[in-house]
Amino acid sequence: MKGTLPRQGTSRKPVASRKPSTSRKPGKPSTARKPNTARRPGTSRRTSRRAVALITGVCLALVALVVTGITLLRDDRTSEVASLDGHSVTRDELLFHMRRLAPTVQNELRNKYHLRGAIDWNAQAGGKTALQRLETRALDEIWRDKTTLVLAKELGLIGSVDHADFLAELAEENESRAEGIAAGQTVYGVAQFSPEEYYTHRLTELTTSLKKRLSKDAGDPLRVTDAEIRREFDADRDAWSANATTYKYSQLVVPVPDDASADYPAGLQRRVAAAGHLADVAAGEPGAKLSTGTYDGSGSTGLNARDQDLMAALGNLAPGESSAPVTGTGQITYYELDSKKVDEDKAFADYRRRIRQSLVEEKFTQFLQRRVENSDTEIDTSAVDAINAEDVQQ
């Protein structure tokens, strides 16, 4: 608990008691001196010491009031409402996260409790007010993000985890961008970051750097070995082998007659299912065209429309199975998988890097969660409860 600082200028010295005045002897009238109004050459009138003291006292009192007001305002904004491993979480910081998360919490409440219109932060929903839910969500995010920042500081990536220093860094970044634009330089990204944009940008960059730093060398907590990558590949070969799989297939294209009834597609589907193979259907359908083809799956990145249709139709088929109908303009298409061959060495080489990134991401999530769980967190519940809906909506 913070102590109350002594106010400046309030201490007083003991006042000495005045000596009793001595009475004049009777019979001899006192002669009062008249004030000398004549000004001596080369001298000016001076303000009395009492007036100077009075003016000085007033000025000091005004300064004290201003300083006290600024201090109280700053204390309100930067007062600690929680802490993580001794790192302060200020009221201003908590409000920053609550305002960021407010739209997300509102949408969740609308979807879960079928609420309509504006959310009343003080209304109960599932045993808690919306404001309480928002406070809990914001603190959970702070624990995770603050832990990330503390980790980044330990590794020398940043110098501070304080919210005030983040805001100062934001101001410097925006000033630098403004100066660059004014000088005609190329400035990538936005001309000016909002606090929310810069927070996301900064945290993303730090997280990427942490993953690289903590997975670089043997023994690092996020290090992924070749054996781990291979086990992940073997556990779900089909998912990792699309780029290295060669599909041989048959394709049946059946034109829809102009006078076909509404149930024609359903009837064709029954005939395909009963025949077993597309070749057995082709002869009985007027105008039907049967062809064969080979697709090696190497174009999984940036597939065109035809490749997308092929992958959707063939990807989950076993040899000998036919796909569901693919309806086009005036025609219906079926695919049948004749054979599938996987080049495992090529598949492993193609997906090795992606598997590694996936495992690093998984390890980082677990590593961060363990640090959060082992952290010493404290919450000043009275300070948190003092935050109201108006504070969030400012």
Side-chain angles (χ1 to χ4, degrees):
M1 181 179 295
K2 295 182 179 179
T4 303
L5 296 176
R7 297 183 182 177
Q8 297 180 354
T10 57
S11 61
R12 296 180 180 178
K13 294 182 179 179
V15 179
S17 59
R18 296 179 180 177
K19 294 182 179 180
S21 61
T22 57
S23 59
R24 298 177 186 270
K25 295 181 178 180
K28 194 174 182 179
S30 63
T31 57
R33 293 182 180 179
K34 295 181 180 180
N36 185 2
T37 58
R39 186 182 300 175
R40 293 181 182 179
T43 61
S44 60
R45 292 182 178 176
R46 297 180 179 178
T47 307
S48 68
R49 292 183 178 179
R50 181 175 296 178
V52 171
L54 179 60
I55 293 172
T56 302
V58 171
C59 291
L60 289 174
L62 289 173
V63 171
L65 286 173
V66 172
V67 171
T68 300
I70 293 174
T71 302
L72 289 175
L73 177 60
R74 173 170 291 192
D75 285 346
D76 182 59
R77 290 169 58 83
T78 62
S79 58
E80 183 176 297
V81 297
S83 66
L84 181 140
D85 289 337
H87 297 281
S88 177
V89 177
T90 64
R91 183 178 188 274
D92 209 27
E93 184 175 1
L94 177 57
L95 280 171
F96 171 76
H97 286 275
M98 290 177 70
R99 289 163 184 160
R100 287 180 66 240
L101 293 170
T104 301
V105 173
Q106 287 175 324
N107 289 335
E108 290 175 353
L109 288 172
R110 289 191 181 99
N111 294 334
K112 185 173 182 177
Y113 297 101
H114 309 290
L115 303 178
R116 297 292 179 267
I119 297 296
D120 182 356
W121 290 108
N122 297 314
Q124 291 279 337
K128 291 183 179 180
T129 66
L131 188 63
Q132 289 171 334
R133 292 178 182 276
L134 180 59
E135 289 170 347
T136 300
R137 179 67 67 83
L139 285 170
D140 287 342
E141 179 170 279
I142 288 173
W143 302 146
R144 183 181 65 251
D145 292 356
K146 202 84 165 179
T147 300
T148 302
L149 296 176
V150 170
L151 184 59
K153 183 180 179 182
E154 291 174 357
L155 295 179
L157 299 178
I158 57 175
S160 172
V161 302
D162 293 340
H163 186 67
D165 291 329
F166 157 73
L167 294 176
E169 184 180 321
L170 166 64
E172 291 178 2
E173 177 66 25
N174 282 338
E175 182 180 358
S176 175
R177 287 174 174 266
E179 291 174 351
I181 292 173
Q185 300 172 357
T186 300
V187 175
Y188 295 97
V190 298
Q192 186 177 39
F193 281 108
S194 69
E196 293 77 12
E197 290 170 339
Y198 190 66
Y199 184 83
T200 301
H201 167 77
R202 181 174 181 257
L203 193 64
T204 299
E205 284 192 337
L206 288 175
T207 300
T208 301
S209 298
L210 285 172
K211 290 175 185 176
K212 290 181 180 178
R213 183 75 66 88
L214 295 174
S215 63
K216 184 179 179 180
D217 300 320
D220 286 343
L222 307 186
R223 180 70 174 178
V224 175
T225 64
D226 291 343
E228 288 175 307
I229 296 174
R230 187 72 206 191
R231 283 196 299 270
E232 183 71 12
F233 175 82
D234 291 340
D236 195 358
R237 293 191 182 191
D238 290 342
W240 297 114
S241 300
N243 283 3
T245 301
T246 300
Y247 301 89
K248 289 187 177 181
Y249 63 93
S250 298
Q251 176 180 318
L252 177 65
V253 179
V254 181
V256 178
D258 294 337
D259 58 350
S261 62
D263 63 349
Y264 177 83
L268 177 61
Q269 174 62 35
R270 288 192 294 270
R271 293 192 291 276
V272 169
H277 294 285
L278 296 182
D280 299 331
V281 181
E285 300 296 330
K289 294 181 179 180
L290 181 68
S291 61
T292 59
T294 300
Y295 179 65
D296 62 7
S298 60
S300 62
T301 301
L303 297 177
N304 57 37
R306 181 177 181 278
D307 289 343
Q308 290 176 358
D309 287 344
L310 278 173
M311 288 303 299
L314 301 175
N316 296 319
L317 294 179
E321 292 182 340
S322 297
S323 70
V326 180
T327 303
T329 304
Q331 65 183 30
I332 299 174
T333 302
Y334 285 88
Y335 297 95
E336 181 179 327
L337 182 62
D338 298 325
S339 65
K340 179 171 68 172
K341 183 178 180 181
V342 178
D343 185 342
E344 289 193 0
D345 291 338
K346 182 178 184 301
F348 186 72
D350 288 346
Y351 283 102
R352 179 189 184 95
R353 183 177 179 182
R354 193 181 302 182
I355 294 173
R356 180 183 180 278
Q357 290 175 338
S358 175
L359 290 174
V360 168
E361 178 68 32
E362 181 180 332
K363 286 190 174 188
F364 180 74
T365 300
Q366 295 171 352
F367 177 74
L368 198 64
Q369 184 60 35
R370 286 194 299 270
R371 284 200 53 140
V372 171
E373 292 172 353
N374 293 328
S375 296
D376 181 15
T377 58
E378 295 182 1
I379 301 175
D380 185 342
T381 54
S382 61
V384 173
D385 291 343
I387 295 175
N388 54 41
E390 288 73 19
D391 294 326
V392 176
Q393 294 166 351
Q394 287 180 3

